[in-house]
């Protein structure tokens, strides 16, 4: 069995060090031969950085890394192109000035890599333009940008700071269109789809493939891939859990499958959680252990006091494309960050019904919301009290059940002025959903 690439996002390391790789190169070939400038939105921990690294290896002509993969047998021409790769997750994002200087510094490393003389040091637009035009003397340039929206997401609860950073990256992306003749391929990834008007206004040739059916399985693990490439790990998990293979597959699907990014209803597994499951052989909520959605919880508390019908509301198709800092759509954010996914599409109404993708996400997210809305202290995880409530119910001990229930309301500050009872109803609803009851509010 190959090693599991947990936390490894470099394609060359995965291949040369004998780690598991699920072959996505047929989809990637379809992408790189089907256009020039693309954008893909996916939640965190879904393999966006690995995709960027794979594209980099392809455009640098490293055919030897793709032995026995689909693209090796294709008609792809393995020319080596200069690659500008920028990962916003690794840049300083505190202020617009720091962001600008961090971007320039990253571009300078590419100047040095290709031994190009630096003639401009302060003007971001000129630094980027000079780099692309100089590199194009070698061959047409490939631009790969990972986590493009990180400077905005980091300040999502501070609109002024988010807008200031937005202007810096808007200036950067505004350079791309005038350089079209020098560029071979451009690919941008991120979590949120901030509207093209606010960031990509000059990039009218940009193809947003985030909700395209043909790329719905570009990232994530499909059921077929799980049953073929991942079969040895499922067998090992089956033995560890003392379950039949069928029951093991069903349980893995219940916990980690269900992410649907298009009308085609093509569902995929969260790759990060799946790899950790194969490693630890224990069913657990892995995604939230490393990515607590603090900004999301703040946003939810700011925009709603009603958590009882997140899965019942419809969201229009336009809401996914008209998404900006000044007009944040909570359901759109929850979809793009992976806490809700597409349950169905109503063609007549041009609207989507959303739902929680799986048990892992629903359980962890509701616990996070419950702790935040009820102001539980950090040393008081909601799961401990939930277990107590279940124990009291099982023993028909109503008095202790009520006493434990009061914990979720005891710490709500008196300073909060709540005009509706929905806030408290939301706590009840979330709590009893976590207890396993079917709730109707």
């Amino acid at each position: 069995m190959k090693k599991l690439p947990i936390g490894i996002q470099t394609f060359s390391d995965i291949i040369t060090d004998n780690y598991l790789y699920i072959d996505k190169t047929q989809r990637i070939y379809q992408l790189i031969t089907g256009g020039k400038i693309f954008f893909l939105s996916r939640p965190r921990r879904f393999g966006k950085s690995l995709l960027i690294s794979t594209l980099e290896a392809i455009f640098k002509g490293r055919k030897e890394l793709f032995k026995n993969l689909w693209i090796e047998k294709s008609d792809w021409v393995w020319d080596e192109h200069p690659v500008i790769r920028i990962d916003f997750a690794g840049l300083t994002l505190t202020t617009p000035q720091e962001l600008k200087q961090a971007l320039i510094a990253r571009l300078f490393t590419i100047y040095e890599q290709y031994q190009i003389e630096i003639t401009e040091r302060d003007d971001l637009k000129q630094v980027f333009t000079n780099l692309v035009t100089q590199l194009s003397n070698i061959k047409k340039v490939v631009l790969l940008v990972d986590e493009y929206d990180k400077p905005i997401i980091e300040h999502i609860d501070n609109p002024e700071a988010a807008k200031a950073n937005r202007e810096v990256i808007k200036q950067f992306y505004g350079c791309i269109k005038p350089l079209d003749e020098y560029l071979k391929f451009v690919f941008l990834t991120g979590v949120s789809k901030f509207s093209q008007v606010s960031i990509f206004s000059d990039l009218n040739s940009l193809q947003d493939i985030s909700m395209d059916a043909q790329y719905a399985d570009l990232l994530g693990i499909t059921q077929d891939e799980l049953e073929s490439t991942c079969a040895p790990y499922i067998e090992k998990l089956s033995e560890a859990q003392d379950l039949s293979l069928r029951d093991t597959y069903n349980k893995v699907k219940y916990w980690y499958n269900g992410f649907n990014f298009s009308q085609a209803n093509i569902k995929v597994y969260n790759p990060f959680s799946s790899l950790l499951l194969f490693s630890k052989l224990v069913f657990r909520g892995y995604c939230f252990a490393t990515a607590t959605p603090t900004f999301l919880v703040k946003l939810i508390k700011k925009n709603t006091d009603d958590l009882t019908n997140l899965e019942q509301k419809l969201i229009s198709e336009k809401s996914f494309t008209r998404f900006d800092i000044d007009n944040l759509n909570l359901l759109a954010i929850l979809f793009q960050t992976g806490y809700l996914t597409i349950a169905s599409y109503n063609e007549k109404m041009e609207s989507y019904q959303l739902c929680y993708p799986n048990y892992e996400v629903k359980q962890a997210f509701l616990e996070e919301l419950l702790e935040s809305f009820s102001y539980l202290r950090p040393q008081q995880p909601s799961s401990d009290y939930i277990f107590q409530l279940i124990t009291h119910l099982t023993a028909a001990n109503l008095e202790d059940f009520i006493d434990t229930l009061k914990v979720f309301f005891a710490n709500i500050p008196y300073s909060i002025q709540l005009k509706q009872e929905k806030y408290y109803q939301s706590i009840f609803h979330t709590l009893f959903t976590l207890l396993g009851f079917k709730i109707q509010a």
Side-chain angles (χ1 to χ4, degrees):
M1 290 170 63
K2 292 190 174 184
K3 296 182 288 185
L4 295 166
I6 297 169
I8 300 175
Q9 302 170 341
T10 304
F11 177 75
S12 59
D13 290 348
I14 288 175
I15 298 301
T16 57
D17 293 341
N18 197 36
Y19 283 98
L20 174 70
Y21 177 72
I22 295 174
D23 189 358
K24 298 286 187 179
T25 59
Q26 185 172 3
R27 281 283 179 269
I28 294 173
Y29 173 87
Q30 182 181 339
L31 176 72
I32 59 182
T33 57
K36 185 172 183 176
I37 304 178
F38 294 96
F39 168 70
L40 176 69
S41 166
R42 283 295 182 270
R44 288 193 65 215
R45 303 293 189 182
F46 244 84
K48 297 189 297 296
S49 297
L50 175 58
L51 174 60
I52 290 285
S53 178
T54 308
L55 287 167
E56 182 179 25
I58 290 173
F59 281 109
K60 284 189 172 181
R62 302 195 61 185
K63 186 177 180 180
E64 75 280 2
L65 294 176
F66 294 86
K67 186 177 180 181
N68 298 323
L69 297 180
W70 186 93
I71 198 171
E72 183 203 22
K73 303 174 182 65
S74 74
D75 60 358
W76 178 253
V77 179
W78 294 87
D79 290 338
E80 183 177 354
H81 290 265
V83 176
I84 299 174
R85 180 178 173 182
I86 298 172
D87 181 2
F88 276 93
L91 301 182
T92 303
L93 312 172
T94 309
T95 67
Q97 188 58 32
E98 286 180 341
L99 172 60
K100 178 183 173 183
Q101 290 306 316
L103 258 175
I104 290 175
R106 172 65 187 126
L107 294 174
F108 282 168
T109 63
I110 301 171
Y111 270 89
E112 294 168 3
Q113 179 186 343
Y114 288 93
Q115 298 180 337
I116 297 172
E117 182 183 357
I118 299 172
T119 56
E120 171 61 54
R121 292 189 171 273
D122 297 315
D123 188 316
L124 174 60
K125 183 176 181 179
Q126 200 58 48
V127 169
F128 180 66
T129 300
N130 288 345
L131 177 60
V132 172
T133 53
Q134 291 295 317
L135 286 176
S136 68
N137 292 326
I138 303 171
K139 220 172 188 65
K140 282 199 171 187
V141 179
V142 172
L143 173 63
L144 304 174
V145 179
D146 199 8
E147 303 290 359
Y148 91 96
D149 54 347
K150 189 76 172 178
I152 301 172
I153 291 290
E154 284 284 291
H155 302 285
I156 201 73
D157 56 341
N158 183 351
E160 292 307 313
K163 287 178 188 176
N165 277 350
R166 179 186 65 186
E167 292 310 306
V168 174
I169 60 175
K170 183 179 178 181
Q171 177 189 356
F172 175 71
Y173 297 126
C175 303
I176 296 175
K177 186 179 179 181
L179 296 170
D180 183 74
E181 64 180 294
Y182 306 107
L183 295 169
K184 166 72 175 176
F185 185 79
V186 177
F187 190 73
L188 313 168
T189 79
V191 171
S192 297
K193 278 171 51 178
F194 289 103
S195 70
Q196 295 186 19
V197 175
S198 66
I199 293 181
F200 303 125
S201 54
D202 297 323
L203 269 180
N204 49 20
S205 58
L206 177 73
Q207 292 188 54
D208 182 357
I209 61 171
S210 304
M211 298 179 73
D212 287 8
Q214 60 183 325
Y215 297 113
D217 58 355
L218 178 61
L219 298 180
I221 303 172
T222 66
Q223 188 65 35
D224 286 345
E225 289 165 344
L226 187 81
E227 294 180 11
S228 55
T229 309
C230 302
Y233 306 94
I234 295 292
E235 291 172 9
K236 187 176 178 182
L237 176 65
S238 173
E239 293 175 8
Q241 291 285 317
D242 194 23
L243 294 170
S244 68
L245 268 178
R246 176 179 291 182
D247 288 344
T248 304
Y249 275 114
N250 287 339
K251 191 169 183 179
V252 175
K253 178 184 273 190
Y254 175 71
W255 270 78
Y256 306 109
N257 193 24
F259 292 92
N260 177 22
F261 301 105
S262 75
Q263 298 173 18
N265 199 30
I266 299 170
K267 294 181 179 179
V268 293
Y269 290 80
N270 180 315
F272 180 75
S273 296
S274 301
L275 290 175
L276 280 171
L277 171 67
F278 299 156
S279 173
K280 298 183 182 297
L281 304 176
V282 175
F283 288 90
R284 186 181 296 155
Y286 294 109
C287 215
F288 280 79
T290 57
T292 303
T294 308
F295 85 90
L296 266 179
V297 174
K298 289 181 181 177
L299 195 64
I300 290 169
K301 291 185 76 172
K302 183 178 179 180
N303 285 273
T304 184
D305 56 5
D306 184 6
L307 304 178
T308 61
N309 59 354
L310 286 179
E311 293 186 280
Q312 297 167 16
K313 292 179 179 177
L314 294 176
I315 180 171
S316 70
E317 196 161 1
K318 292 179 180 178
S319 295
F320 292 121
T321 56
R322 294 180 179 175
F323 181 67
D324 205 354
I325 301 166
D326 299 311
N327 186 27
L328 292 173
N329 186 307
L330 181 58
L331 290 179
I333 285 193
L334 289 173
F335 166 70
Q336 289 164 13
T337 49
Y339 301 112
L340 294 177
T341 197
I342 296 172
S344 61
Y345 176 72
N346 188 315
E347 191 170 353
K348 288 183 180 179
M349 296 177 63
E350 295 186 345
S351 63
Y352 293 88
Q353 174 103 35
L354 303 182
C355 66
Y356 294 109
N358 53 46
Y359 178 77
E360 178 197 30
V361 171
K362 181 175 182 177
Q363 196 77 1
F365 190 48
L366 289 180
E367 284 186 12
E368 190 73 31
L369 290 179
L370 181 62
E371 290 179 10
S372 179
F373 270 69
S374 58
Y375 288 85
L376 289 180
R377 296 185 179 90
Q379 65 271 26
Q380 297 175 297
S382 60
S383 55
D384 289 354
Y385 292 113
I386 289 168
F387 292 140
Q388 289 180 36
L389 290 171
I390 292 171
T391 302
H392 298 323
L393 278 178
T394 306
N397 187 344
L398 186 59
E399 186 176 345
D400 287 345
F401 176 83
I402 295 297
D403 285 343
T404 305
L405 192 64
K406 289 177 180 177
V407 170
F408 291 92
F409 300 90
N411 293 324
I412 297 176
Y414 286 109
S415 58
I416 292 183
Q417 299 297 318
L418 300 171
K419 298 178 181 179
Q420 301 179 15
E421 67 178 61
K422 282 185 178 180
Y423 189 97
Y424 300 97
Q425 189 186 63
S426 293
I427 296 176
F428 270 111
H429 187 280
T430 305
L431 179 58
F432 279 87
T433 300
L434 286 167
L435 286 172
F437 292 101
K438 192 170 184 179
I439 307 300
Q440 181 175 348

